[in-house]
Amino acid sequence: MSKVDSEDSWILFVVGVALAAFIVSKFSPHLGLDMATGGMVLARLAVWVVAVGLSWKLSDEFPALGLKAIWPLLLSLHWLCWWPALDFWAVKGVAPHLVRQEMLPWWAAWYTRWGVLLGIAAWGYIMKKLFDRD
């Protein structure tokens, strides 16, 4: 067995940060985002992937937390991961200090975001109820 010395652990941290920055720098331009917004979206997606993985892992011990039980909620959370990108796209080209809620397009307004979030969850649970085989 090999043991990592605590004196060398900073190297692993630096490599991890550099790798994360590289991934964000490649991800962001493909979606027309800046680095900060791309980082926020990727961080939220990483948390979402962990939540999906935990749901999958815990499905045997806790069926109420399994993918089969909460997939509509997980789909809603996936939509939530993209909210920083919606903010960025909505105010692209406008100085940040000039942005007001009334200036946002309908697709970036709070009522659309929350409506789509609740709509995804409701649609998912309705589909789950309709196609449940229990």
Side-chain angles (χ1 to χ4, degrees), residues 4-131:
V4 176
D5 289 333
S6 61
E7 298 162 357
D8 293 339
S9 62
W10 68 271
I11 295 172
L12 193 59
F13 176 75
V14 169
V15 169
V17 169
L19 182 63
F22 177 75
I23 290 170
V24 170
S25 72
K26 295 299 178 186
F27 170 80
S28 299
H30 289 294
L31 297 174
L33 302 172
D34 63 349
M35 287 282 288
T37 306
M40 283 192 293
V41 170
L42 276 179
R44 289 177 179 209
L45 286 173
V47 170
W48 179 78
V49 166
V50 168
V52 170
L54 281 173
S55 175
W56 188 13
K57 179 83 170 150
L58 296 175
S59 63
D60 292 335
E61 296 173 36
F62 305 103
L65 295 177
L67 281 176
K68 185 177 179 183
I70 65 167
W71 66 266
L73 179 64
L74 292 172
L75 280 178
S76 295
L77 291 177
H78 189 266
W79 164 248
L80 186 95
C81 292
W82 292 95
W83 285 10
L86 287 176
D87 286 337
F88 182 80
W89 292 325
V91 297
K92 197 173 191 177
V94 178
H97 64 280
L98 297 176
V99 175
R100 293 189 325 266
Q101 184 68 28
E102 301 85 35
M103 294 175 59
L104 295 177
W106 66 270
W107 48 265
W110 67 269
Y111 51 84
T112 305
R113 292 178 190 198
W114 284 100
V116 170
L117 183 85
L118 295 174
I120 291 171
W123 172 82
Y125 280 111
I126 289 170
M127 292 296 112
K128 186 177 176 304
K129 185 76 168 170
L130 287 175
F131 295 107

